[in-house]
Amino acid sequence: MPHPSPTGSSPLPPRDGVDAAWVRFPDFSPWATVGAAIHAKYPEHWNRFADRLRRGAVVDMHGTPVDAETPLRRGMTLFYYRDLPAEEPVPFTITVLYQDENIVVADKPHFLATMPRGRHVTETATVRLRRQLNLPELTPAHRLDRLTAGVLVLTARAQVRGAYQELFARREAEKEYLALAAFRPALTLPLTRRSRISKAPGARQAHEIAGTPNAITHISLDAHDGRTARYRLRPETGRTHQIRIHMCALGIPIVGDPLYPEVNPEPAGFTEPLQLLARRLAFTDPITGRHHVFVSERELTLS
């Protein structure tokens, strides 16, 4: 069973909105020292790690600096601040729809990732809002794809994080999306798409496969101009790319989708967003008991 991420128990606080990175070594490692272990595991990054170790910029779970000669303990986890790559700024604003002591509800633009991952670190909703609101513990309660815009809930304090993340894990939040795609008069709507979706590790696309359905989306027509339609979608489940896959399977792939039906390079710049919007989100607050309804201020307009 994989270990959970130790980010929440890091002895290093977020720096400029970005969590410290970490590396964990197996319970039974063949290396005697921290330096030998890092050199073996990350040879291409050894020079940068060696410099951090010399400067005392790598610490253990207790915040104690380690160096290359520190003995490697069983199951040892180390923390450090990564060197952040230069990122192209996403030229759109993330706005706050609601804030209290427990949560921040944001209206995320297209092209902005939800949280740091891979080549997107500072240009993410989490880091931008941590800096903007001075909330270093701000963490998403759920996730929106980078290319999807709309309502996103983040927790403001580590003490309440689990309650809100469980709310979404138990599917107790009501979600409604809007999408633009081709108008198909022969398609009888409303309808419910049920299928089994699977995504192989490392693959960019997920696929519908035979088997018991694990993805359910309710789809209805909101408006059309004879060529393009705006569809209203209510997912019961939250499989990877679920809405995009279900729309594509119906012969109406979402406008601007670089993955479905075929994988294509994303257009240069920020001029052709995926026409998918997380428009509305409703749930009963697990801490206060208050019923919340949040609606995006963004629009998908028929041309």
Side-chain angles (χ1 to χ4, degrees), residues 4-290:
S5 168
T7 301
S9 58
S10 171
L12 298 178
R15 184 173 67 180
D16 199 19
V18 181
D19 288 326
W22 56 273
V23 55
R24 176 188 279 118
F25 296 99
D27 288 345
F28 298 97
S29 297
W31 310 291
T33 64
V34 164
I38 293 178
H39 188 277
K41 194 165 184 176
Y42 303 106
E44 68 276 20
H45 301 300
W46 168 245
N47 289 337
R48 279 183 289 176
F49 270 112
D51 178 63
R52 293 186 186 106
L53 290 166
R54 283 192 295 270
R55 292 186 286 108
V58 181
V59 303
D60 64 15
M61 284 287 293
H62 306 290
T64 303
V66 300
D67 59 30
E69 299 304 317
T70 299
L72 186 69
R73 300 190 300 274
R74 177 176 176 176
M76 195 172 195
T77 302
L78 303 176
F79 299 84
Y80 62 95
Y81 292 114
R82 75 192 85 180
D83 300 320
L84 300 180
E87 297 180 47
E88 183 178 9
V90 176
F92 306 115
T93 301
I94 183 169
T95 56
V96 174
L97 300 173
Y98 173 84
Q99 181 178 357
D100 63 25
E101 65 176 354
N102 296 321
I103 60 174
V104 171
V105 182
D107 203 351
K108 187 183 83 66
H110 295 101
F111 300 108
L112 192 68
T114 294
M115 60 190 301
R117 185 179 181 184
R119 60 192 176 93
H120 304 288
V121 179
T122 57
E123 287 301 301
T124 61
T126 300
V127 173
R128 277 201 188 180
L129 289 170
R130 282 180 175 179
R131 293 173 174 178
Q132 178 180 325
L133 303 175
N134 192 28
L135 292 173
E137 295 182 353
L138 197 69
T139 303
H142 62 117
R143 183 177 297 184
L144 288 180
D145 287 346
R146 183 176 64 88
L147 299 182
T148 303
V151 181
L152 175 69
V153 178
L154 304 97
T155 58
R157 301 182 293 125
Q159 299 96 311
V160 302
R161 185 178 305 158
Y164 291 94
Q165 290 179 338
E166 280 297 311
L167 171 81
F168 285 93
R170 293 193 302 264
R171 305 172 187 168
E172 294 177 357
E174 299 175 12
K175 302 177 182 179
E176 179 186 272
Y177 290 72
L178 295 178
L180 296 185
F183 175 55
R184 285 188 58 196
L187 188 63
T188 301
L189 296 172
L191 63 77
T192 298
R193 181 77 179 184
R194 294 179 173 86
S195 69
R196 185 165 191 83
I197 291 177
S198 177
K199 185 174 182 291
R204 296 188 64 189
Q205 284 186 324
H207 298 277
E208 290 186 322
I209 61 173
T212 303
N214 61 1
I216 303 171
T217 307
H218 305 285
I219 304 168
S220 61
L221 181 65
D222 185 64
H224 72 88
D225 61 10
R227 297 182 58 188
T228 304
R230 184 169 58 234
Y231 296 91
R232 196 174 297 271
L233 308 111
R234 292 187 298 106
E236 282 192 22
T237 53
R239 309 302 299 184
T240 298
H241 299 168
Q242 174 179 320
I243 289 175
R244 297 161 69 177
I245 292 168
H246 280 174
M247 291 289 283
C248 187
L250 293 172
I252 46 173
I254 298 173
V255 173
D257 196 333
L259 289 183
Y260 303 96
E262 297 179 351
V263 176
N264 293 298
E266 285 187 31
F270 303 94
T271 59
E272 300 180 39
L274 173 70
Q275 295 298 297
L276 180 61
L277 173 68
R279 177 185 177 274
R280 181 180 182 274
L281 183 65
F283 60 89
T284 298
D285 193 299
I287 304 295
T288 67
R290 178 181 176 185

